[in-house]
Each structure stands twice: as C-alpha cells, then as structure tokens.
C-alpha cells in the first residue's frame, strides 16, 4: 500500500512540473499534406470523378450479362370471346370462342414464361467498351494523383519558405541588436 501511495504521489508531482526544452513543433509536412488532402475541394472533385469512372466501368461490365425476364400469370376467362391470359411471345395469341352447343363455360388459364436476352455477338464491341471504361478509370486515378502531387509541391514550397523567412527574420533581429 505504501509503494502504491508513493508511486501515485510521484506521478502527480512529476506531472505538475513544467519541462523546458524545445518548443513543440506545429504540424509536420506530412500532417499538412494529409490535412490538405482531406479538406481541399478540387481533390474531392477528382475523387468523385474517379468514383464515377469506377461505377461506369462496373456498369459497362454488367451490360453484357444476359437479361432474364420472368412472368407468371393466372387469369379467369370465358369461352364467349373474352380473352384470357396473355402469353408474351410474338405470334401466339390466346383466342377463345363459344362452344358449338352454345353453353358458356369459364376456365382459368395459368401461364409462366422466362425470356433470356443475351447479346453475345457484338463483334468485339464488348471487349473494346470494357477496355475504354478501364482506361477512363485509370485516367481519373492519374488525374487525382497529379493533383495531389501538385498540392504536395505547393504546400512543401510554402512550408520551406515559412522556415526560410522565419530564419531571415531571426537573423535580421540579431543584426539589429548587434548594431545597437
């Protein structure tokens, strides 16, 4: 118990002592870059262009998958020239008429259909459009990287100019004090 109490008192005493040393540095250059990358509006515009190009690339890839249409239908029709179900294939019609003996009976019709539309003969159009979408996505990524590099160069130049001018100011103050 004594050791815990002594250790706690030592920590509180040491925490209250101010240390004198070098000034705490502001932001480092990589920190400034990250701050600019997260807040600069032109980079957000380039990021959105890159996201759009990636979505376009996925859409282009998905356009060449087969499309499947499903239909299930049940209807009630009569044999008195009232049409029943609709069957969605061209050239097939559901035509009903009255029976020869004149009695009218009703009946239910149930149809199901599956239509698959797959355009697999495009003579190289699929491959070329996917390559074009990939190139556009790559260009968007490179434009983002170029803008980030331009910003890094500008921020670095400003950062080093700040320290240069700060040193020159310190030098001028020392010269002024020396001359007095």
């Amino acid at each position: 118990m004594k050791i815990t109490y002594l250790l706690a008192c030592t920590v509180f005493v040491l925490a209250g002592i101010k240390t004198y040393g070098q000034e705490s540095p502001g932001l480092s250059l990589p920190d400034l870059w990250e701050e600019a990358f997260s807040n600069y509006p032109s980079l957000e515009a380039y990021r959105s262009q890159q996201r759009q190009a990636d979505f376009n690339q996925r859409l282009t890839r998905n356009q060449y998958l087969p499309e499947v249409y499903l239909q299930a239908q049940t209807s009630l029709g009569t044999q008195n020239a009232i049409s029943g179900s609709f069957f969605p294939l061209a050239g097939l019609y559901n035509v009903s008429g009255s029976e020869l003996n004149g009695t009218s009976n009703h009946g239910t019709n149930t149809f199901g259909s599956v239509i698959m539309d797959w355009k697999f003969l495009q003579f190289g159009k699929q491959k070329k459009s996917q390559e074009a979408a990939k190139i556009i996505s790559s260009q968007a990524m490179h434009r983002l990287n170029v803008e980030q590099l331009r910003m890094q160069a500008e921020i670095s130049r400003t950062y080093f100019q700040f320290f240069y001018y700060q040193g020159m100011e310190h030098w001028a103050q020392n010269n002024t004090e020396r001359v007095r």
Side-chain angles (χ1 to χ4, degrees):
M1 183 70 175
K2 281 184 178 182
I3 295 174
T4 307
Y5 179 70
L6 184 61
L7 185 61
C9 288
T10 307
V11 169
F12 285 129
V13 168
L14 290 178
I17 297 174
K18 275 192 167 179
T19 57
Y20 296 97
Q22 294 179 348
E23 294 179 12
S24 63
L27 291 173
S28 67
L29 191 55
D31 292 339
L32 288 173
W33 289 339
E34 290 304 317
E35 188 71 25
F37 291 164
S38 64
N39 294 326
Y40 209 70
S42 72
L43 286 178
E44 187 56 38
Y46 283 113
R47 283 188 201 103
S48 68
Q49 288 176 0
Q50 183 181 10
R51 284 191 301 267
Q52 179 197 10
D54 291 340
F55 287 140
N56 188 29
Q57 185 177 4
R58 279 188 254 151
L59 178 66
T60 304
R61 188 175 36 239
N62 288 342
Q63 282 178 344
Y64 297 108
L65 295 176
E67 296 177 2
V68 178
Y69 304 102
L70 302 171
Q71 178 183 348
Q73 179 178 357
T74 300
S75 66
L76 178 65
T78 66
Q79 296 179 359
N80 293 328
I82 299 174
S83 58
S85 300
F86 169 71
F87 195 64
L89 294 177
L92 296 178
Y93 300 101
N94 185 13
V95 179
S96 60
S98 59
E99 292 181 359
L100 291 176
N101 61 6
T103 61
S104 174
N105 295 332
H106 68 279
T108 59
N109 296 323
T110 303
F111 288 107
S113 66
V114 176
I115 298 174
M116 187 171 102
D117 183 18
W118 191 13
K119 300 176 180 122
F120 55 90
L121 293 176
Q122 295 288 328
F123 301 106
K125 182 180 176 184
Q126 294 175 5
K127 186 176 179 182
K128 293 299 178 185
S129 64
Q130 288 177 357
E131 287 175 8
K134 186 176 180 181
I135 288 170
I136 290 171
S137 179
S138 175
Q139 284 177 345
M141 183 188 64
H142 291 307
R143 278 189 292 242
L144 175 64
N145 290 341
V146 166
E147 181 67 13
Q148 284 180 338
L149 183 63
R150 186 191 68 75
M151 286 186 61
Q152 279 181 333
E154 184 178 334
I155 291 169
S156 300
R157 190 177 309 110
T158 305
Y159 186 77
F160 291 127
Q161 282 177 350
F162 169 75
F163 286 119
Y164 173 76
Y165 291 136
Q166 191 178 28
M168 293 301 289
E169 181 184 9
H170 183 66
W171 175 78
Q173 286 175 353
N174 286 344
N175 264 351
T176 305
E177 289 175 12
R178 187 180 54 87
V179 170
R180 287 185 190 166

